[in-house]
Amino acid sequence: MSRKRFPRLGAFEPKLIREALVSSVLKLDLRQQKENPVMLLVEIGGILTTISSVIEISTQKSPFFTIFVSFWLWLTVLFSNFAEALSEGRGKARAASLRQSRTSVPARKLKEESFDATFSEISSSDLRKGDLVLVKANEIIPGDGEVVKGAALVNEAAITGESAPVVRESGGDRSAVTGGTTVIANEIILKITTDPGQTFLDRMISMVEGAERRKTPNEIALEILLIALTGVFLAVVANTYSVSAYSAASSGRGSPASLTILIALFVCLAPTTIAALLPAIGIAGMDRLFQLNVIALSGRAIEAAGDVNVLLLDKTGTITLGNRQATEFLTVNGRSNEELMEAALLSSFADDTPEGKSIIALIQEKTGTASFSPENVTFIPFSAATRVSGAQCGEITYLKGAYDAVTKSVLERGGTIPSDLKGKVDGVATAGGTPLVVARNETIFGVIFLKDILKTGIKERFADLRRIGIKTIMITGDNHLTAATIAAEAGVDDYLAESKPDDKLRMIREYQNEGYMVAMTGDGTNDAPALAQADVAVAMNNGTQPAREAANIIDLDSDPTKLLDIVEIGKQILMTRGALTTFSISNDIAKYFAIIPAALIGIYPQLKILNIMGLATPESAILSAVIFNALVIPMLIPLALAGVKFKSMPASKLFAYNLTIFGLGGVIAPFIGIKIIDLVLAGLMYT
């Protein structure tokens, strides 16, 4: 089934660029720049060089060098603002589609929990937590709540993009409803579970826009590193002036480094590239999640996803397709396949369960047809009491079902149990399948092998996770024998069989006590305790209200396999930060060879040996370094927004890979870029 996604916005859509350009200028307000200390200092440097150029003009000194440096410092700040504004604009544009669903609608507030109770009609904005509301067909659900009476078909396309309606009913794990969705059949009474402004949709919009996005531990650690490096380079610049002033005075050669040169030196040595792109990386990561119809309710959740090293996954619906399918017919006591398939067809023709349909499909595949036309057929539906289903054709009874139920019926009819039946049944169970015995009256024909079918590619994904050091654990209510077989076939590292809510909670706590970061997915009320305990908790949007409240990530499509995508995006964010940090710091090497000789060559002529790039003049060398330092920011914006490509490898190998690609690239690129810019500047100067 195709799903409607939220708009996929290109990184450089014209409308977003126009809005980002305007926002870039508005962000020059120093009060906004204080959130990014490195760029704040760059902007202060731009202000000082601008003032310096005005003074030079007033004193009839040549201002062109200072003006050019000042111009490129302002561009550096604007490029940084543009990167952040562009990523914020993408989030706000996506949030606009959600905001359309948040409208004030009339609500029938009930006096008591009864369809016949009196009500008062109020605005949905006046509803409070605990209020009872009646919603009829073709009406919009006025707020987040839980169905306490009745059942209805609900269209949730406004939230999830899914066109197919879903059933919401009281007393089960499908009782939660979201404000802004529409009842299309029947009527329900719901209890409002949130106050105005605190709804699920409100939280989604806030997170998408980034308005309430908190910095994560890794971001804070990286910012501390950037501030520390900035402090070091401030000290270097201050000492450079002191050394140059003392040397010029004592040697009588040259003059102390000017304010413009010192500011240029600081800006080029400070980690401006990663400081400029860091805000964009985090916001873009949330945007990539939103493209998957996944909403992170905290920035910390995404960060934790990148650090996850233990994954707990449900078997049914996550690792397997969710429904057992017939894969093989096993005859007993010398019976033919034709006899077994005929009995299986008659006993399954009216079975509307996924298992029954898969039996018909397997017969169709093996014989080319799966039809019959006997007269006077009465179908026997499956029941929990009998544990069999089948068909009655006159005096003939066809049955399929559990081993003990079918054998009991056969013995009551005077039949015998084939000697090889128990072996076939045990073989299916040992292989992780479910055996269904098929019989006609007192004769048993064989066994149908029902098997949990793994999702395509799931084993390969688990192998990828294992390569990057993530342990996968399958959670299932199956017995240990079946669980062990499926776990081995899927390639998970461990499994928890016959699991109960307290078992899940205990397992999560044990791993956390050992220092692991744990992620899990769930949708039922019984999953809420474990979700609340997990570091990354992904709740299904069609799950219960307790599950959604306990989680820190909501999957609007209710697809449990998204947990694997979430982990990959979390790691991609960490990889992107690490890669761009490596690139930014490596950039400094080339700038040392450009700016240090240019700044001090008048005092120390021997520094000319460091001009290995053969830059034309001290002025062109400094300008080339400043220009490259500014231009590299917009050049890396697409990478910051798209993220570094995810690599399935251990952390140590990933570190070596990033060090090689981005570290070596960060060293080489400035040498080439600064030299090209210097050639252009030299050509312009000489013409």
Side-chain angles (χ1 to χ4, degrees), residues 98-342:
L98 291 174
R99 191 176 284 105
Q100 293 173 359
S101 302
R102 189 183 61 184
T103 56
S104 181
V105 297
R108 297 185 185 87
K109 181 181 176 182
L110 298 174
K111 301 291 185 182
E112 58 185 55
E113 189 181 310
S114 171
F115 287 107
D116 298 325
T118 58
F119 63 85
S120 56
E121 191 166 293
I122 63 174
S123 171
S124 59
S125 58
D126 294 328
L127 289 172
R128 294 293 182 269
K129 187 175 181 179
D131 287 347
L132 295 172
V133 178
L134 172 64
V135 187
K136 297 185 177 182
N138 301 316
E139 292 180 351
I140 296 175
I141 294 174
D144 290 1
E146 190 169 2
V147 179
V148 294
K149 196 164 189 176
L153 277 178
V154 178
N155 182 351
E156 297 185 340
I159 305 298
T160 66
E162 173 59 75
S163 58
V166 294
V167 176
R168 293 288 178 257
E169 58 187 347
S170 63
D173 285 349
R174 298 294 181 267
S175 59
V177 292
T178 304
T181 57
T182 305
V183 173
I184 60 176
N186 302 337
E187 58 185 29
I188 51 175
I189 295 176
L190 60 95
K191 179 183 288 186
I192 299 298
T193 54
T194 57
D195 288 322
Q198 301 176 0
T199 66
F200 175 61
L201 192 56
D202 287 317
R203 286 187 292 158
M204 286 167 55
I205 292 171
S206 295
M207 289 308 305
V208 171
E209 290 180 325
E212 296 180 5
R213 181 178 174 274
R214 297 180 181 178
K215 293 179 180 177
T216 60
N218 269 310
E219 279 183 290
I220 294 172
L222 184 53
E223 283 197 355
I224 291 173
L225 172 64
L226 298 183
I227 292 171
L229 289 175
T230 301
V232 169
F233 289 126
L234 277 174
V236 169
V237 169
N239 287 329
T240 299
Y241 174 75
S242 300
V243 170
S244 66
Y246 174 79
S247 299
S250 60
S251 66
R253 291 194 304 266
S255 58
S258 68
L259 176 65
T260 301
I261 291 177
L262 291 174
I263 291 174
L265 174 63
F266 167 73
V267 170
C268 288
L269 297 185
T272 51
T273 304
I274 185 60
L277 297 174
L278 183 59
I281 294 170
I283 297 172
M286 296 181 69
D287 182 66
R288 285 196 293 278
L289 275 181
F290 194 59
Q291 290 179 27
L292 294 174
N293 273 14
V294 176
I295 302 296
L297 301 180
S298 75
R300 191 179 294 268
I302 307 176
E303 192 75 50
D307 289 328
V308 160
N309 37 34
V310 174
L311 273 178
L312 272 62
L313 306 103
D314 284 329
K315 184 202 75 173
T316 305
T318 304
I319 296 174
T320 66
L321 293 176
N323 297 310
R324 297 168 301 173
Q325 296 184 8
T327 59
E328 191 176 358
F329 294 110
L330 306 172
T331 60
V332 294
N333 202 27
R335 295 292 177 176
S336 66
N337 270 326
E338 289 74 16
E339 289 179 304
L340 175 56
M341 285 190 287
E342 180 186 10

Side-chain angles (χ1 to χ4, degrees), residues 303-311 469-470 517-519 535-536 567 571:
E303 192 75 50
D307 289 328
V308 160
N309 37 34
V310 174
L311 273 178
I470 295 179
M517 294 285 286
V518 182
D535 300 293
V536 178
V567 170
K571 288 199 171 290

